Amino acid sequence: MTVDKGVLQLTRPIEEGDQWPRVQCSICGSGRVTFEEPVQHESTSSIAAHRHFAWEPEWIRGSFTVAGRCENPRCGTVFAGAGSYSINYRENREVEYGDDGPHYSGFYQCEVLYPHVLLLTVPESTPPDVQEAIHRAGRVILSDPGLAATALRSGVERFLTHQGVSATDEKGRFVSAAKRIKTWGEAASGRREIARLFDAARWLGNTGTHEDSDITVEEVLQGVTILDEAFHRIYTGPDVDLLAQRINDARGPYRGEEQPKA
């Protein structure tokens, strides 16, 4: 699965009048979400500031709410979003000033969406608590990229636990994620490259955990891309390889116990 570009667009300020990104529905996984026009709610302090003698439109601040709906007729899930709203100079416009002065526009910064955005579609055989860690990242990426990166790292650690790589040693001491990944990667052939992918997600998670973390949404989505490839190789790749081998053995379509052609 390619990371949904709509998620990245949704994390950036959206100018009034521009089309909102059609993100993939996290409920059905196949439809796209179409958003309505946002509703602005100017804050009390912003309204009071209008009385100031030097007031300018770019002083306007507040919040907004927005509704969306999955386009899939079999789904139709309603989404609710909210965030901050402000006025500033127009962007990406050929004319910035008119006869009446500068041209202003509203900007929406989405900070929460329910249901959450879909970051990654993992194979159904992925352990439920690993899936939950990825969903948690999707719930917070709009407001806290660092926490989202930490959640992705948690997904890796939960995967290792399911694989029998304990988080503690025989004396009950904590085992670092780096060591656990290395142990898993060296336990069987073909795992080293996947372990390198997990290690990259771990580094991003470490950065997100720091108190002064400056990790960006783009960098978190790099981690999503990496985990997508890792889980594909672990869960989907073997099934595809087995199917290809059966087709090769049958010298044609694989139909259960049908004997190979002479």
Side-chain angles (χ1 to χ4, degrees), residues 160 163-165 179-192 195:
L160 295 171
Q163 291 286 301
V165 184
K179 186 173 182 180
R180 296 177 71 197
I181 292 171
K182 182 178 180 180
T183 298
W184 180 84
E186 294 177 346
S189 61
R191 288 185 177 180
R192 290 183 182 273

Short mmCIF file of all heavy atoms in Angstrom, two decimals, residues 160 163-165 179-192 195:
data_model
loop_
_atom_site.label_atom_id
_atom_site.label_comp_id
_atom_site.label_asym_id
_atom_site.label_seq_id
_atom_site.Cartn_x
_atom_site.Cartn_y
_atom_site.Cartn_z
N LEU A 160 7.43 -8.03 18.02
CA LEU A 160 8.53 -8.86 18.54
C LEU A 160 8.05 -9.74 19.68
O LEU A 160 8.46 -10.90 19.79
CB LEU A 160 9.67 -7.96 19.00
CG LEU A 160 10.38 -7.14 17.91
CD1 LEU A 160 11.34 -6.14 18.52
CD2 LEU A 160 11.11 -8.07 16.94
N GLN A 163 6.38 -12.64 18.40
CA GLN A 163 7.34 -13.54 17.78
C GLN A 163 8.18 -14.29 18.82
O GLN A 163 9.09 -15.04 18.47
CB GLN A 163 8.27 -12.76 16.85
CG GLN A 163 7.58 -12.23 15.61
CD GLN A 163 7.29 -13.32 14.60
OE1 GLN A 163 8.21 -14.01 14.13
NE2 GLN A 163 6.03 -13.51 14.26
N GLY A 164 7.89 -14.06 20.09
CA GLY A 164 8.59 -14.77 21.16
C GLY A 164 9.87 -14.11 21.61
O GLY A 164 10.65 -14.72 22.37
N VAL A 165 10.12 -12.86 21.18
CA VAL A 165 11.32 -12.13 21.61
C VAL A 165 10.92 -11.27 22.81
O VAL A 165 10.31 -10.22 22.65
CB VAL A 165 11.90 -11.27 20.48
CG1 VAL A 165 13.19 -10.60 20.94
CG2 VAL A 165 12.14 -12.10 19.24
N LYS A 179 18.18 -4.41 20.69
CA LYS A 179 18.68 -5.77 20.90
C LYS A 179 17.62 -6.80 20.50
O LYS A 179 17.93 -7.85 19.93
CB LYS A 179 19.08 -5.97 22.36
CG LYS A 179 19.75 -7.32 22.63
CD LYS A 179 20.28 -7.39 24.04
CE LYS A 179 20.98 -8.74 24.27
NZ LYS A 179 21.52 -8.83 25.66
N ARG A 180 16.37 -6.51 20.80
CA ARG A 180 15.29 -7.43 20.45
C ARG A 180 15.16 -7.57 18.93
O ARG A 180 14.97 -8.67 18.41
CB ARG A 180 13.97 -6.95 21.04
CG ARG A 180 13.93 -6.93 22.55
CD ARG A 180 12.61 -6.36 23.04
NE ARG A 180 11.51 -7.29 22.80
CZ ARG A 180 10.23 -6.95 22.82
NH1 ARG A 180 9.87 -5.68 23.02
NH2 ARG A 180 9.29 -7.85 22.60
N ILE A 181 15.27 -6.45 18.24
CA ILE A 181 15.21 -6.50 16.77
C ILE A 181 16.37 -7.32 16.22
O ILE A 181 16.20 -8.13 15.31
CB ILE A 181 15.23 -5.06 16.20
CG1 ILE A 181 13.93 -4.34 16.54
CG2 ILE A 181 15.44 -5.08 14.68
CD1 ILE A 181 13.94 -2.85 16.20
N LYS A 182 17.56 -7.11 16.78
CA LYS A 182 18.73 -7.86 16.32
C LYS A 182 18.55 -9.35 16.58
O LYS A 182 18.87 -10.19 15.71
CB LYS A 182 19.98 -7.35 17.04
CG LYS A 182 21.27 -8.04 16.58
CD LYS A 182 22.47 -7.47 17.30
CE LYS A 182 23.75 -8.16 16.83
NZ LYS A 182 24.95 -7.62 17.53
N THR A 183 18.03 -9.71 17.76
CA THR A 183 17.80 -11.11 18.09
C THR A 183 16.83 -11.75 17.11
O THR A 183 17.05 -12.86 16.61
CB THR A 183 17.24 -11.24 19.52
OG1 THR A 183 18.20 -10.72 20.44
CG2 THR A 183 16.95 -12.69 19.86
N TRP A 184 15.74 -11.04 16.80
CA TRP A 184 14.76 -11.56 15.85
C TRP A 184 15.35 -11.69 14.46
O TRP A 184 15.14 -12.69 13.77
CB TRP A 184 13.54 -10.64 15.81
CG TRP A 184 12.48 -11.09 14.86
CD1 TRP A 184 11.49 -12.00 15.09
CD2 TRP A 184 12.31 -10.66 13.50
NE1 TRP A 184 10.71 -12.17 13.97
CE2 TRP A 184 11.19 -11.35 12.98
CE3 TRP A 184 12.98 -9.75 12.69
CZ2 TRP A 184 10.75 -11.17 11.67
CZ3 TRP A 184 12.54 -9.55 11.39
CH2 TRP A 184 11.43 -10.26 10.89
N GLY A 185 16.12 -10.70 14.05
CA GLY A 185 16.69 -10.71 12.71
C GLY A 185 17.70 -11.81 12.48
O GLY A 185 17.87 -12.30 11.36
N GLU A 186 18.37 -12.23 13.56
CA GLU A 186 19.40 -13.27 13.43
C GLU A 186 18.87 -14.67 13.68
O GLU A 186 19.60 -15.64 13.54
CB GLU A 186 20.54 -12.97 14.40
CG GLU A 186 21.30 -11.68 14.07
CD GLU A 186 22.38 -11.37 15.08
OE1 GLU A 186 22.37 -12.00 16.17
OE2 GLU A 186 23.24 -10.51 14.80
N ALA A 187 17.58 -14.79 14.02
CA ALA A 187 17.02 -16.09 14.38
C ALA A 187 16.66 -16.95 13.18
O ALA A 187 16.49 -18.17 13.33
CB ALA A 187 15.78 -15.90 15.26
N ALA A 188 16.53 -16.38 12.01
CA ALA A 188 16.16 -17.15 10.83
C ALA A 188 16.66 -16.44 9.58
O ALA A 188 16.86 -15.22 9.58
CB ALA A 188 14.64 -17.33 10.75
N SER A 189 16.87 -17.21 8.55
CA SER A 189 17.35 -16.64 7.29
C SER A 189 16.28 -15.74 6.67
O SER A 189 15.08 -15.98 6.83
CB SER A 189 17.72 -17.75 6.31
OG SER A 189 16.59 -18.54 6.02
N GLY A 190 16.70 -14.72 5.98
CA GLY A 190 15.78 -13.82 5.30
C GLY A 190 15.21 -12.72 6.16
O GLY A 190 14.41 -11.91 5.69
N ARG A 191 15.64 -12.68 7.43
CA ARG A 191 15.08 -11.67 8.33
C ARG A 191 15.93 -10.41 8.46
O ARG A 191 15.44 -9.38 8.93
CB ARG A 191 14.88 -12.25 9.73
CG ARG A 191 13.74 -13.25 9.85
CD ARG A 191 13.59 -13.65 11.31
NE ARG A 191 12.47 -14.57 11.50
CZ ARG A 191 12.11 -15.06 12.69
NH1 ARG A 191 12.80 -14.70 13.77
NH2 ARG A 191 11.10 -15.89 12.79
N ARG A 192 17.17 -10.48 8.07
CA ARG A 192 18.08 -9.36 8.32
C ARG A 192 17.61 -8.06 7.67
O ARG A 192 17.66 -6.99 8.29
CB ARG A 192 19.49 -9.70 7.85
CG ARG A 192 20.18 -10.77 8.71
CD ARG A 192 21.61 -11.01 8.25
NE ARG A 192 22.26 -12.06 9.02
CZ ARG A 192 22.90 -11.85 10.16
NH1 ARG A 192 22.98 -10.62 10.64
NH2 ARG A 192 23.46 -12.85 10.81
N ALA A 195 14.69 -6.73 9.54
CA ALA A 195 15.15 -6.17 10.82
C ALA A 195 15.68 -4.75 10.62
O ALA A 195 15.50 -3.89 11.49
CB ALA A 195 16.21 -7.07 11.43
#
